[in-house]
Amino acid sequence: MKLRTILSVLGVAVAALAFALVLFPEVAAGMSMNEAILVVLGLAALLQGVRIGVSRTRNRYVQAKTPDPEQSQELPTPGDDFDELLHVASTDLRRVDSREQTTTRLERAAVATIARTQGCSQSEAKRRIEAGEWTDDPYAAAFFTGTLEGGSLFSRVDLFSGRQTRYHRWAVHAATEIARMSEEYDR
C-alpha cells in the first residue's frame, strides 16, 4: 500500500475521531474540550505536514528558464537612404528618376530651412534658391541654378574629388549648407 493512501486513511480516521469527540463529549471524559480540540488539530497539522513533505520528495524539481536577452538591432543611420540615392544619382547617368528625387528632396529641405531661418515665405525662399541668393557657397547655389557663379579657377578645378561627378559635389555642398544653416539657427 502507498504511503499516501495510508496517510489519507489516517487523516480521515483522526478527523472522524475529532468529530466524535465533539459530538459525544462523554467519550473524552478524561480530557477537557479545549485540550481535545488542541490535540486533534495538532495531529491533523502534523499529518498534513508529513503528507506534503512526502509529496514534495516525489515531484521532479523544475527550474524556471529565463528568456534569452534581446538582441540589439541594426538600425539605419538617418540620412543613409539619401546618401544611397545621391550615390545612384551621381554614378548612374541613366537613372534620371534618382536625380529628380535627389533634387526634389534637397529643394524641399532648402525651402523649409530658408523659410524658417531667414523668416520669409516659402515662395520667397524658392525665389532665393532659383536666383542663387540663399547662400555664399557658389557650389551649393550652383546645384539649384545650374551655373557656377564666382569662385576662382583654382576653386573650380578640384584635384581631390576623385571619381565624384560635378552633380555629386554640388549636391553635397547644397546638403552641407542646408544642414549648417539649420544648425546655426537652432543654437
Side-chain angles (χ1 to χ4, degrees), residues 6-152:
I6 294 171
L7 290 176
S8 295
V9 169
L10 190 58
V12 170
V14 169
L17 177 65
F19 283 119
L21 291 175
V22 170
L23 294 175
F24 306 106
E26 61 273 0
V27 175
M31 288 193 275
S32 71
M33 191 54 117
N34 290 339
E35 291 173 354
I37 290 175
L38 235 108
V39 169
V40 170
L41 286 178
L43 285 174
L46 180 67
L47 288 175
Q48 181 66 7
V50 169
R51 188 184 70 79
I52 289 174
V54 170
S55 70
R56 292 263 172 108
T57 59
R58 290 186 183 150
N59 287 343
R60 200 172 73 93
Y61 179 70
V62 178
Q63 183 176 357
K65 293 182 181 178
T66 58
D68 292 333
E70 292 183 17
Q71 300 292 326
S72 63
Q73 295 179 354
E74 295 280 333
L75 298 175
T77 305
D80 279 351
D81 60 333
F82 180 76
D83 291 342
E84 180 64 30
L85 182 66
L86 179 60
H87 176 72
V88 170
S90 60
T91 56
D92 191 357
L93 300 177
R94 297 169 294 179
R95 300 286 308 264
V96 177
D97 59 330
S98 59
R99 279 192 179 217
E100 289 173 356
Q101 284 180 337
T102 304
T103 304
T104 302
R105 286 178 69 173
L106 279 175
E107 185 176 1
R108 284 184 194 155
V111 167
T113 302
I114 292 168
R116 182 172 60 96
T117 60
Q118 296 179 4
C120 63
S121 67
Q122 289 198 353
S123 59
E124 174 61 21
K126 196 165 200 159
R127 187 201 63 75
R128 289 180 187 180
I129 289 171
E130 289 169 356
E133 301 170 356
W134 66 283
T135 181
D136 293 335
D137 185 350
Y139 300 106
F143 179 75
F144 296 112
T145 62
T147 58
L148 183 61
E149 300 291 328
S152 66

Side-chain angles (χ1 to χ4, degrees), residues 142-184:
F143 179 75
F144 296 112
T145 62
T147 58
L148 183 61
E149 300 291 328
S152 66
L153 177 62
F154 290 114
S155 65
R156 290 178 185 230
V157 177
D158 191 2
L159 298 176
F160 302 106
S161 66
R163 295 183 172 177
Q164 294 176 347
T165 64
R166 179 180 72 177
Y167 179 83
H168 186 270
R169 285 193 311 265
W170 289 3
V172 168
H173 276 269
T176 304
E177 184 65 15
I178 293 166
R180 185 196 62 77
M181 289 173 70
S182 181
E183 287 172 0
E184 282 183 4

